[in-house]
């Protein structure tokens, strides 16, 4: 198993650093679901759900597929990927060495 690069780790952690996105991943951990049903389950609008799903998909945590229902309606289904993120101090130190953004490297303060 390869460890994530620093950039990958930053993207994954940023994607998971939101309570709604955590709830989306938790809900999808029970099985794939289509957008309208998922929005109702979580209690948010479809546009807001789409925004969060895009962030999760960009981080490689969920994947969406477009399918046709029996009546010919296009439905977008999402499911979690087989991701496995393990955080240890050595893993973080190793990932930090591969960061491509110098402002996010070891010992650098983030800009406000």
């Amino acid at each position: 198993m390869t460890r994530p690069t620093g950039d990958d780790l930053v993207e994954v952690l940023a994607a998971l650093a939101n309570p709604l996105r955590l709830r989306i991943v938790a809900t999808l951990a029970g099985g794939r679901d289509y957008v309208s049903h998922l929005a109702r389950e979580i209690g948010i609008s479809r546009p807001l759900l789409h925004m969060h799903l895009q962030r999760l998909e960009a981080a490689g945590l969920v994947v969406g597929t477009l399918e046709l229902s029996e009546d010919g309606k296009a439905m977008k289904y999402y499911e979690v990927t087989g991701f496995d993120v393990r955080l240890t101090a050595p893993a973080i130190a190793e990932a930090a060495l591969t960061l491509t953004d110098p402002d996010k490297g070891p010992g650098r303060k983030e800009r406000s």
Side-chain angles (χ1 to χ4, degrees):
M1 177 192 277
T2 62
R3 293 188 187 230
T5 66
D7 295 338
D8 293 339
L9 187 57
V10 167
E11 190 169 4
V12 166
L13 293 176
L16 292 173
N18 178 285
L20 280 176
R21 289 193 289 267
L22 282 178
R23 289 179 55 208
I24 292 166
V25 171
T27 302
L28 290 175
R32 73 188 203 117
D33 204 351
Y34 63 97
V35 171
S36 294
H37 185 259
L38 186 57
R40 286 190 302 272
E41 285 289 310
I42 295 173
I44 61 175
S45 68
R46 286 185 301 164
L48 182 59
L49 177 62
H50 272 290
M51 181 192 75
H52 287 295
L53 286 168
Q54 287 173 346
R55 183 75 184 264
L56 291 167
E57 196 167 26
L61 301 173
V62 301
V63 62
T65 55
L66 195 58
E67 298 179 18
L68 291 178
S69 65
E70 291 180 11
D71 62 356
K73 183 179 175 183
M75 299 175 72
K76 185 89 179 231
Y77 280 86
Y78 282 89
E79 60 188 317
V80 292
T81 62
F83 71 89
D84 183 7
V85 179
R86 296 173 194 253
L87 295 177
T88 62
I92 291 171
E94 183 180 323
L97 295 174
T98 66
L99 287 168
T100 59
D101 185 345
D103 290 334
K104 295 180 183 172
R108 304 283 176 114
K109 292 184 180 180
E110 287 190 13
R111 296 180 198 168
S112 18

